[in-house]
Amino acid sequence: STSGVSECISCASGKFNPTLAAKNSNFCLECATGRYSTILSATSSSDCIACAAGKASATTGATSESVCTSCIGSYSDVEASDSCTNCAAGRYSSTPSATSSSTCLA
């Protein structure tokens, strides 16, 4: 008989659970900003994939790379960024997904 036996439920994509014998979905932690995960039952924050340099995401628990938006008029020189860095006043960048301030032109 399976009476009284609960079934293991996967953490949703965008989340991970490093805890053995977790009792409920509260143990499923969201991927941090600048990261996303498409897999179910992730067990580590390393299962959360970083947005590429030149892109950023302020969303936690993201489930798709589509949340990583291109920096426009700005840049991001690191992976897993939660925001793009604006070009300095008097400068601009027309390069989408720029990864360096050197793309900010006068």
Side-chain angles (χ1 to χ4, degrees), residues 35-103:
R35 296 182 174 274
Y36 67 94
S37 176
T38 60
I39 62 174
L40 296 173
S41 303
T43 59
S44 168
S45 62
S46 65
D47 292 321
C48 300
I49 302 164
C51 293
K55 297 186 174 192
S57 172
T59 303
T60 58
T63 60
S64 167
E65 184 181 13
S66 65
V67 301
C68 302
T69 55
S70 294
C71 297
I72 305 291
S74 56
Y75 64 94
S76 172
D77 56 2
V78 296
E79 292 183 342
S81 182
D82 63 356
S83 64
C84 298
T85 302
N86 290 327
C87 291
R91 300 179 90 56
Y92 70 94
S93 176
S94 59
T95 305
S97 303
T99 59
S100 168
S101 61
S102 65
T103 62

Side-chain angles (χ1 to χ4, degrees), residues 7-59:
E7 132 186 12
C8 294
I9 300 170
S10 298
C11 289
S13 56
K15 297 183 177 191
F16 65 95
N17 177 7
T19 307
L20 291 174
K23 307 237 183 299
N24 58 48
S25 64
N26 292 338
F27 287 86
C28 297
L29 307 174
E30 293 185 328
C31 291
T33 57
R35 296 182 174 274
Y36 67 94
S37 176
T38 60
I39 62 174
L40 296 173
S41 303
T43 59
S44 168
S45 62
S46 65
D47 292 321
C48 300
I49 302 164
C51 293
K55 297 186 174 192
S57 172
T59 303

